[in-house]
Amino acid sequence: MSFFKKLFSSEKKETLDKGLEKSKATFLNKLTKAVAGKSKVDDEVLDNLEEILVASDVGVNTTLKVIERIEKRVAEDKYVGTEELNQILREEIAGLLSETNSGNATEFVIPNVQNKPYVLMVVGVNGVGKTTTIGKLAYQFKKAGHSVVLGAADTFRAAAIDQLQIWADRVGVPIVRQDMGSDPASVAFDTLQSAVAQNADIVIIDTAGRLHNKINLMNELTKVKRVMQKVVIDAPHDVLLVLDGSTGQNAFEQAKQFTAATEVTSLAVTKLDGTAKGGVVIGISDQFKIPVKYIGVGEGIEDLQVFNKHEFVDSFFK
């Protein structure tokens, strides 16, 4: 496909290539072994490919979709050589991702909203890189020319408040915080009031990441939303779920739990640079029909990237 030949020759793409290196190497090594001695894609090759995709944490349901699409291509073309398999995989997975990730953004921009500021509420369990992702988002939005205010509404852990403060200081953006144990909805309310007073472009609200009691989590997030809407009537404009890509199938379970507790409108998948489980991005996007907006491919402040499906597929399979 032509778009694979028109990809960005940029530092961002090089970082993505490096970040997905472990996933790519593991996948391609297994694929090479699966087609060794084979001249065409037959049932045995497809069975082996199915095992490889599942082992790469693409997920069973998504894997079956991919295999069905390739089987259809093989049937239509009558003969498909194994040397063509990698290209067909790229095309079919890009097509699958396109069903949920319709956009092709490459920059950190916020959509126009009727009621400014744009409010981004961030959810996710502790340890997935949620606060770090918020800090990196604040940096990228500020770099893009937007004014940003952070809200430390994860008031159940002093460490979460302090960590967000460190990021606010590092990036140079204001933060609204209260003492540990304060009402999260109160923090969110104060944050939006402060942002409106400053005529800020974007507010990023951190929330607690406790999944041991889904009902409490649901009630808390619902209350935070309701209180924010007293200040900005259509807030939040985006509910971003942060998932740790290195946990593989556990990330699927977290997505299942959070989508049951609240309406999630976008995903950020972190820590892809330290794992061979990059296929989780494909599976989660497909299974939950929620667009992946950001991916983390390194520890540096610049290493949170806007997800671009064509770049991702190219880096994963090239």
Side-chain angles (χ1 to χ4, degrees):
M1 294 174 70
S2 60
F3 54 70
F4 286 120
K5 298 177 182 178
K6 297 178 181 177
L7 291 167
F8 306 93
S9 176
S10 64
E11 187 176 336
K12 173 179 177 287
K13 183 62 167 60
E14 290 171 9
T15 302
L16 181 61
D17 288 344
K18 186 177 179 181
L20 293 178
E21 203 164 11
K22 287 185 179 179
S23 293
K24 179 183 68 175
T26 302
F27 182 86
L28 292 182
N29 285 342
K30 290 180 179 177
L31 185 62
T32 300
K33 292 177 182 177
V35 300
K38 294 280 188 178
S39 61
K40 69 173 184 176
V41 177
D42 56 17
D43 288 343
E44 185 181 353
V45 169
L46 289 173
D47 286 344
N48 290 336
L49 177 60
E50 183 177 324
E51 290 181 16
I52 295 167
L53 289 170
V54 171
S56 299
D57 283 279
V58 172
V60 174
N61 292 333
T62 301
T63 292
L64 292 176
K65 283 187 186 179
V66 174
I67 296 298
E68 285 174 10
R69 288 175 179 227
I70 294 175
E71 283 178 332
K72 185 178 179 182
R73 291 278 293 268
V74 171
E76 288 174 350
D77 296 345
K78 304 302 180 188
Y79 179 93
V80 175
T82 51
E83 69 277 2
E84 300 169 71
L85 183 56
N86 186 277
Q87 179 64 23
I88 292 172
L89 259 176
R90 292 166 72 178
E91 293 171 6
E92 294 303 332
I93 288 177
L96 201 64
L97 286 170
S98 295
E99 294 174 7
T100 302
N101 301 273
S102 56
N104 228 0
T106 57
E107 303 297 332
F108 286 82
V109 295
I110 55 176
N112 292 324
V113 291
Q114 187 174 356
N115 300 290
K116 191 179 173 183
Y118 184 85
V119 180
L120 171 59
M121 186 168 84
V122 184
V123 300
V125 300
N126 301 329
V128 297
K130 180 165 56 79
T131 308
T132 299
T133 297
I134 292 170
K136 290 179 179 180
L137 279 172
Y139 167 79
Q140 293 287 7
F141 283 125
K142 183 182 179 184
K143 183 181 174 184
H146 301 297
S147 52
V148 184
V149 177
L150 302 183
D154 182 356
T155 59
F156 293 90
R157 295 185 307 131
I161 300 172
D162 292 341
Q163 187 183 5
L164 197 63
Q165 179 71 63
I166 290 169
W167 272 105
D169 295 341
R170 181 180 180 187
V171 176
V173 298
I175 181 174
V176 176
R177 55 178 290 176
Q178 295 179 12
D179 293 335
M180 179 184 169
S182 300
D183 181 6
S186 173
V187 177
F189 182 84
D190 289 351
T191 304
L192 264 63
Q193 279 201 321
S194 176
V196 168
Q198 297 174 54
N199 196 32
D201 296 319
I202 181 169
V203 170
I204 308 177
I205 301 288
D206 189 14
T207 63
R210 299 160 303 144
L211 268 182
H212 60 274
N213 190 324
K214 193 168 64 180
I215 298 300
N216 284 351
L217 176 67
M218 185 185 303
N219 291 340
E220 179 184 303
L221 295 177
T222 300
K223 182 182 177 184
V224 169
K225 286 182 180 181
R226 187 174 65 248
V227 169
M228 287 195 296
Q229 287 167 0
K230 294 179 179 180
V231 184
V232 178
I233 194 167
D234 50 355
H237 301 102
D238 188 11
V239 179
L240 177 72
L241 171 61
V242 180
L243 299 168
D244 179 349
S246 70
T247 62
Q249 292 303 300
N250 190 40
F252 276 85
E253 184 59 30
Q254 289 175 25
K256 183 179 177 181
Q257 294 288 328
F258 269 98
T259 53
T262 191
E263 181 187 9
V264 174
T265 52
S266 64
L267 302 172
V269 185
T270 66
K271 306 182 185 181
L272 291 173
D273 56 304
T275 180
K277 299 177 182 290
V280 73
V281 173
I282 301 164
I284 287 177
S285 175
D286 173 59
Q287 290 301 299
F288 293 94
K289 302 303 178 190
I290 300 171
V292 177
K293 192 170 279 187
Y294 310 107
I295 54 173
V297 289
E299 295 181 2
I301 198 168
E302 297 270 6
D303 293 339
L304 182 73
Q305 297 190 357
V306 174
F307 178 70
N308 179 294
K309 56 185 177 290
H310 294 152
E311 286 188 317
F312 180 86
V313 171
D314 181 75
S315 293
F316 196 96
F317 293 105
K318 87 173 190 182

